[in-house]
Amino acid sequence: MSNAATGEGIGQPVRRKEDFRFITGNGHYTDDIARPRQTWAYFLRSPHAHAKIRKIDTRAAEAAPGVVAIFTGKHVADDGLGGLICGWTVSSKDGTPMKVGPHPILALDTVRYVGDHVAMVVAETLAEARSAAEMIDVDYETLPAAVALAACQSKEAPQVHPEAPRNTCFEWELGNKPETEAAFAKADKIVKLDLTNNRLIPNAMEPRAAIGEYDKGSGVYTLHTTSQNPHVARLVLSAFVGVAPEHKLRVIAPDVGGGFGSKIFIYAEETACVWAAAKVGRPIKWTADRSEAFLSDAHGRDHLSHAELALDKNGKFLALRVKTVANLGAYLSTFSASVPTYLYGTLLSGQYDIPAIYVEVDGVYTHTAPVDAYRGAGRPEATYLVERIVETAARETGIDPAEIRRRNFIRSFPHQTPVIMAYDAGDYEASLDAAMKAVDHKGFPARKAEAEKRGKLRGLGFSSYIEACGIAPSAAVGSLGAGVGLWESAEVRVNPTGNVEVLTGSHSHGQGHETTFAQLVASRLGIPMEQVEIVHGDTDKVQFGMGTYGSRSGAVGMSAIVKALDKIETKAKKIAAHLMEAAVEDIVFENGTFTVQGTDKSLPWAQLALSAYTAHGFPSAEIEPGLKEGAFYDPTNFTFPAGCHICEVEIDPDTGVTRIVNFVAVDDFGTIINPMIVEGQVHGGIAQGIGQALLEHGVYDPASGQLVTGSYMDYCMPRADDLPSFNLGFTKTVCPSNPLGMKGCGEAGAIASPPAIINAITDALGIRDIEMPATPARVWAAIQSRPRAAAAE
Amino acid sequence: MPVVAMTVNGKPASADVEARTLLVHFIREHLGLTGTHVGCDTSQCGACVVHVDGRAVKSCAILAVQAEGADIVTVEGLAKNGELHPVQQAFREHHGLQCGFCTPGMIMTAVDLIRRKPNLDEKTVREELEGNICRCTGYHNIVKAILAASQAMR
């Protein structure tokens, strides 16, 4: 029976293979693992945003009950360990490389944000480690801190790193300045907008954790850690930090409870645990509590931008110019330089044919936690800017918001934008039309009037977004400063009994790869999904791979599997031809059976698999025994998911509370393997986007640099009753740059939704802008400050 | 150190624990039942919800000694004779989980909610989930799963 007939084929909403262990409490997250004789680590963190460390006295702590060892920055430095690195180099306009301050594992003489790592206490129990840490006496000389982003580039601002004067890491530009200036000079209309993209704290529900171990006999280090990309972690820890040679370091990322970017990065804690395990001679375990996660996980977003859009008299866009200041935090995290530059500036054309674009981005150090990729990474910031200014242009020109978008949509492909990207396929009007239909756009005036009768304000907001996903190809990212290649790997191992193990360099931390990937393999080989095991997350088992982020595991990871399956089929056909004494070109493989065209000769999959290993009578010069193939897949382009989200809100003017009454998302992800999983990804992304637009804000006190929103009582995570159910639809243009035609769906919701919500709120209130998060207090204040005429409308 | 004794998933369980040991740490560290998770340190996220004498309780919010003599059910004890609980089944059927970390707490909360309020609607489910945070699903499919389970259990 074919996989389509069993309901397991491509395009089927197959229920997830991984669910059983999670719904029965049998998952294995890092903190669930206990290693024999393990000790516990606790990190003493800086209580100051900026201070010199005059002295650290650990004597009393060392004598505390249960303490095994205490490590400070001096121990790390004495051991010759390197610091943490940024894997992406960005250059300034003048050609100079970004200015990077050192990022030690444990602070040496200066702390640069609240939560910076000062010492690691290793003890028999976590409680003992924590108690002992309180007995460490650190003599700090507190210094003024650079916190408020807008003020950090001034001459007077406290310096985060002496290497970066005025706290400026880079002054990057992209696009064509003279062409942009010329277009502005002849514009009929110029629309200007200042925008804040609020700081977010990722908050995967599983806090980061690590267990470091060292085997004296073999000299092998093992690190269990909450990683989205264990091979990259191993590479950085060996080649740059110098913990151990790559072949003597095993990194395992078991079940990982969400990442959203925050678990891409290589952090101080896991580095210290695996390094110190050899010193202590016992495994060292560390699990962040939520307060530590707030302080030390890499944060997201945090941009200040000024944007200007030039239009002709028909509402056609002529040019866009943008100046952005991006907060990098106190140290460069693993990919932080790429996020506000190549993942941001390159998407500023949106879905529109804009002949000239020029963007300048200053990357700025502050005395706050490092800022790096968080779901969408640069693309939500770009989409927010583009869709807010397009909406503002519609209102200022009096052109209907849908119409101004239609007038400017890119309609022929491939399309080269002025900011690097070559869009390969899309139909932006199709998703706009579908979304308008789904939201009942025609009925909106009546709904608005009805709401007004009840004293409520209704608004409708559009967001026609595009993103670049599948972060790749290697040549492209290499030319833009990436220190790594961005391909993916796969190995398909057919066992003698016919079942299959697929080793993938992708990593699943909620995305359902064990199901989707198995669906692909099972349908290709014509075997039941239960006979396919997806193996990931262990550098000892899996060949080098690049991991999961940037919605790349479908388009890149599955393409690598396709390539390996192609090789499997080629070899299997050779074996089948030999066994059935036929010419290889006459062998047909369908629904798990090999047949010789035009005959009744056939061979089932399982028999072929066994024959591959018995290898009796193989012409050994032509056919090797066994059936196992590997592939590395490097795509030819990024993929370009796109679509239209429309949000309808109703605001209570008495309380300022915004209720989302309808949220429509129509997305074009190309080929979809499992629509149930894809819809789930969109739901989660929209929820995070609504969080950004209405609820979430990472706030530091501008004077002290203390994190004000350091717990779930202060940082407003979206709860179930903050959100509506979502109304989803799909359109489809196949992606031409990978064999499955996939585009990626993991980030679209978070990228598209914030401007739809803010456009809806500003529409409802009749105002130009409101800062995210549009909390009830802000909305209420905006209503109070409206001109009387607008308020009376 | 005090000895605490209780029934966990139908079996007697006891251990010497430090008096400050939270019930969640007793369950995870002493009994090795790691399905119950810790997602925060302010009793907000609900990843640690278990049943204490039939009621949903955040096991990070009570001490192990407070559960002396209690009848505790964790997510590991929900399926009976190899048969998944209808709420577990509904979470799988409706894709009510992604990374799975909040899932045990969500499921234990949902079982208690359906017991308390057999006639659920979407609004009630959303309000009742106030104490459980999920970062993956946007709650859309969790709500769907709980409503479906409550239907199935009627």
Side-chain angles (χ1 to χ4, degrees):
Chain A
M1 202 173 10
S2 74
N3 292 81
T6 58
E8 291 186 348
I10 287 174
Q12 299 290 320
V14 180
R15 301 305 184 263
R16 298 201 318 170
K17 289 180 70 162
E18 45 274 82
D19 283 358
F20 181 79
R21 68 177 186 271
F22 295 133
I23 58 180
T24 56
N26 287 297
H28 290 291
Y29 301 90
T30 299
D31 189 54
D32 299 341
I33 296 164
R35 302 298 298 160
R37 299 180 64 244
Q38 77 184 12
T39 60
W40 288 84
Y42 181 80
F43 287 86
L44 180 69
R45 295 173 186 278
S46 169
H48 305 296
H50 188 201
K52 285 262 173 248
I53 299 176
R54 287 202 195 103
K55 199 177 156 210
I56 304 178
D57 184 349
T58 57
R59 283 169 301 178
E62 276 161 23
V67 170
V68 175
I70 297 177
F71 299 95
T72 64
K74 188 175 179 313
H75 295 106
V76 177
D78 288 350
D79 217 33
L81 229 55
L84 297 172
I85 58 148
C86 179
W88 200 302
T89 302
V90 165
S91 294
S92 289
K93 290 169 207 171
D94 63 6
T96 57
M98 61 189 192
K99 299 179 174 72
V100 186
H103 188 178
I105 309 298
L106 297 172
L108 264 175
D109 51 6
T110 308
V111 287
R112 294 188 171 85
Y113 66 99
V114 174
D116 205 354
H117 314 75
V118 175
M120 175 170 72
V121 181
V122 181
E124 296 292 338
T125 70
L126 175 59
E128 286 168 339
R130 191 187 286 260
S131 299
E134 285 175 17
M135 298 164 76
I136 297 176
D137 187 10
V138 186
D139 184 4
Y140 291 107
E141 177 192 342
T142 57
L143 299 167
V147 181
L149 180 57
C152 287
Q153 287 179 286
S154 79
K155 250 194 303 194
E156 296 74 31
Q159 286 292 293
V160 181
H161 295 284
E163 293 84 354
R166 297 192 189 199
N167 294 319
T168 304
C169 176
F170 53 79
E171 292 169 297
W172 178 83
E173 65 175 351
L174 183 66
N176 189 316
K177 191 177 183 181
E179 276 179 31
T180 305
E181 298 304 327
F184 269 89
K186 64 171 190 186
D188 294 300
K189 169 84 186 162
I190 295 172
V191 178
K192 298 179 181 179
L193 198 59
D194 289 304
L195 292 167
T196 301
N197 207 288
N198 45 324
R199 188 180 186 108
L200 302 177
I201 304 178
N203 276 301
M205 290 315 296
E206 178 206 23
R208 289 188 295 116
I211 308 172
E213 325 177 37
Y214 176 69
D215 182 75
K216 208 170 176 182
S218 62
V220 170
Y221 289 78
T222 302
L223 172 65
H224 283 82
T225 185
T226 48
S227 174
Q228 298 177 217
N229 42 338
H231 281 97
V232 176
R234 184 178 70 158
L235 177 62
V236 170
L237 290 174
S238 60
F240 296 95
V241 184
V243 169
E246 208 173 355
H247 66 303
K248 294 287 187 186
L249 175 59
R250 178 183 187 186
V251 178
I252 303 170
D255 286 331
V256 173
F260 315 112
S262 69
K263 292 172 181 169
I264 299 171
F265 321 124
I266 291 81
Y267 288 91
E269 294 91 347
E270 65 243 28
T271 308
C273 283
V274 69
W275 164 75
K279 313 270 171 238
V280 168
R282 293 167 64 182
I284 301 176
K285 180 171 180 174
W286 168 77
T287 300
D289 57 33
R290 183 56 59 185
S291 302
E292 288 183 278
F294 271 105
L295 291 175
S296 66
D297 289 2
H299 296 180
R301 318 281 193 260
D302 209 348
H303 286 194
L304 297 173
S305 293
H306 175 75
E308 297 185 4
L309 181 66
L311 299 91
D312 72 9
K313 60 182 187 306
N314 299 317
K316 176 77 190 69
F317 305 154
L318 300 175
L320 176 70
R321 67 183 165 208
V322 175
K323 173 78 204 247
T324 293
V325 180
N327 199 338
L328 301 171
Y331 302 100
L332 285 190
S333 170
T334 314
F335 285 108
S336 58
S338 67
V339 176
T341 53
Y342 290 104
L343 294 178
Y344 167 69
T346 53
L347 271 302
L348 285 171
S349 196
Q351 297 187 348
Y352 311 107
D353 181 11
I354 307 178
I357 297 176
Y358 178 67
V359 50
E360 296 169 281
V361 179
D362 289 358
V364 174
Y365 290 114
T366 59
H367 286 112
T368 65
V371 179
D372 205 326
Y374 166 63
R375 201 171 195 167
R379 292 152 292 167
E381 295 91 318
T383 302
Y384 187 67
L385 186 140
V386 172
E387 287 305 289
R388 287 288 296 117
I389 201 161
V390 165
E391 191 72 26
T392 308
R395 291 174 194 169
E396 290 191 0
T397 57
I399 303 170
D400 176 80
E403 174 57 27
I404 201 168
R405 287 174 167 85
R406 283 183 212 279
R407 282 187 202 174
N408 289 282
F409 278 153
I410 292 161
R411 289 166 193 278
S412 69
F413 297 90
H415 173 87
Q416 178 62 52
T417 72
V419 279
I420 297 178
M421 293 299 179
Y423 299 170
D424 52 9
D427 184 346
Y428 308 139
E429 194 146 30
S431 53
L432 175 69
D433 287 339
M436 287 173 72
K437 192 166 173 228
V439 84
D440 183 19
H441 186 257
K442 284 194 184 117
F444 177 71
R447 295 196 296 278
K448 188 176 170 74
E450 185 278 328
E452 256 166 42
K453 277 186 200 153
R454 289 183 285 110
K456 304 288 195 285
L457 305 167
R458 280 228 174 189
L460 200 68
F462 291 75
S463 171
S464 289
Y465 78 97
I466 188 162
E467 50 169 331
C469 287
I471 306 299
S474 299
V477 297
S479 72
L480 305 179
V484 290
L486 283 167
W487 38 266
E488 198 45 89
S489 70
E491 183 174 299
V492 176
R493 291 182 185 169
V494 179
N495 293 322
T497 54
N499 53 33
V500 177
E501 284 148 33
V502 178
L503 291 77
T504 170
S506 302
H507 183 273
S508 186
H509 29 280
Q511 295 89 340
H513 295 168
E514 287 167 47
T515 304
T516 325
F517 290 12
Q519 247 176 295
L520 169 71
V521 174
S523 20
R524 176 73 182 266
L525 299 180
I527 59 177
M529 272 177 65
E530 62 185 34
Q531 291 189 22
V532 181
E533 190 74 15
I534 305 298
V535 180
H536 64 92
D538 183 343
T539 60
D540 258 17
K541 290 183 182 168
V542 180
Q543 68 291 339
F544 199 101
M546 291 310 299
T548 291
Y549 39 83
S551 308
R552 68 194 306 275
S553 296
V556 191
M558 289 180 84
S559 295
I561 296 174
V562 169
K563 206 173 156 193
L565 286 168
D566 289 344
K567 294 184 187 177
I568 288 280
E569 186 170 324
T570 302
K571 176 155 185 199
K573 279 182 169 169
K574 240 187 199 179
I575 297 171
H578 167 71
L579 293 172
M580 294 191 282
E581 296 174 329
V584 73
E585 48 276 13
D586 290 338
I587 303 295
V588 177
F589 179 52
E590 236 173 34
N591 298 328
T593 305
F594 297 85
T595 52
V596 182
Q597 212 165 16
T599 73
D600 59 356
K601 283 187 188 173
S602 73
L603 192 64
W605 169 258
Q607 202 178 323
L608 182 123
L610 185 61
S611 304
Y613 288 89
T614 53
H616 295 160
F618 274 15
S620 51
E622 290 157 43
I623 310 177
E624 282 177 24
L627 195 50
K628 180 189 96 159
E629 298 288 349
F632 288 75
Y633 174 78
D634 202 344
T636 54
N637 195 353
F638 290 85
T639 67
F640 297 97
C644 180
H645 290 202
I646 302 181
C647 177
E648 185 168 333
V649 298
E650 185 170 297
I651 294 168
D652 183 337
D654 294 334
T655 62
V657 170
T658 299
R659 194 165 63 87
I660 295 175
V661 290
N662 198 357
F663 196 101
V664 168
V666 177
D667 298 294
D668 176 0
F669 298 138
T671 305
I672 287 173
I673 307 292
N674 185 323
M676 177 191 81
I677 286 175
V678 168
E679 285 175 11
Q681 290 292 308
V682 178
H683 296 154
I686 295 172
Q688 289 180 3
I690 293 174
Q692 169 159 33
L694 297 180
L695 308 165
E696 298 179 38
H697 195 189
V699 180
Y700 282 92
D701 177 73
S704 67
Q706 294 293 329
L707 181 64
V708 178
T709 53
S711 84
Y712 286 152
M713 293 189 292
D714 313 294
Y715 186 89
C716 190
M717 289 283 279
R719 307 311 210 264
D721 61 352
D722 294 316
L723 303 175
S725 284
F726 310 114
N727 187 350
L728 305 191
F730 296 100
T731 57
K732 182 174 168 182
T733 58
V734 170
C735 175
S737 65
N738 63 65
L740 292 163
M742 298 177 73
K743 295 188 181 182
C745 64
E747 297 161 293
I751 289 169
S753 58
I757 298 154
I758 298 300
N759 286 341
I761 293 173
T762 51
D763 178 49
L765 302 186
I767 58 174
R768 236 177 104 77
D769 189 31
I770 189 164
E771 244 183 70
M772 297 192 291
T775 57
R778 279 185 175 159
V779 170
W780 188 84
I783 292 168
Q784 303 312 310
S785 60
R786 284 191 303 176
R788 277 190 175 278
E793 263 173 23
Chain B
M1 289 203 292
V3 176
V4 291
M6 61 192 84
T7 304
V8 178
N9 299 332
K11 291 182 200 145
S14 68
D16 288 356
V17 298
E18 275 193 273
R20 61 178 164 178
T21 305
L22 297 171
L23 178 60
V24 65
H25 292 134
F26 175 74
I27 290 169
R28 285 181 57 82
E29 309 293 337
H30 293 268
L31 305 183
L33 294 169
T34 56
T36 302
H37 296 151
V38 180
C40 76
D41 46 14
T42 52
S43 291
Q44 305 281 303
C45 82
C48 66
V49 170
V50 300
H51 293 172
V52 178
D53 295 328
R55 290 167 50 233
V57 168
K58 286 179 175 171
S59 62
C60 74
I62 68 168
L63 297 166
V65 292
Q66 290 175 283
E68 173 71 29
D71 185 17
I72 309 285
V73 178
T74 71
V75 71
E76 289 94 338
L78 208 53
K80 292 275 179 278
N81 308 318
E83 181 98 357
L84 291 176
H85 187 281
V87 173
Q88 290 172 311
Q89 283 177 20
F91 268 68
R92 175 152 73 176
E93 181 59 27
H94 297 280
H95 190 31
L97 62 149
Q98 289 180 25
C99 83
F101 194 82
C102 76
T103 310
M106 284 284 177
I107 288 176
M108 299 311 281
T109 298
V111 170
D112 183 57
L113 168 61
I114 294 168
R115 177 188 62 78
R116 286 184 289 114
K117 299 185 174 177
N119 296 306
L120 284 169
D121 55 28
E122 178 175 343
K123 188 168 183 294
T124 310
V125 173
R126 287 184 178 277
E127 282 168 6
E128 289 277 346
L129 289 181
E130 177 66 24
N132 292 76
I133 303 178
C134 170
R135 193 56 151 170
C136 294
T137 64
Y139 305 97
H140 182 108
N141 285 339
I142 291 177
V143 172
K144 219 159 115 182
I146 295 173
L147 288 171
S150 95
Q151 282 283 342
M153 288 168 72
R154 257 176 220 169

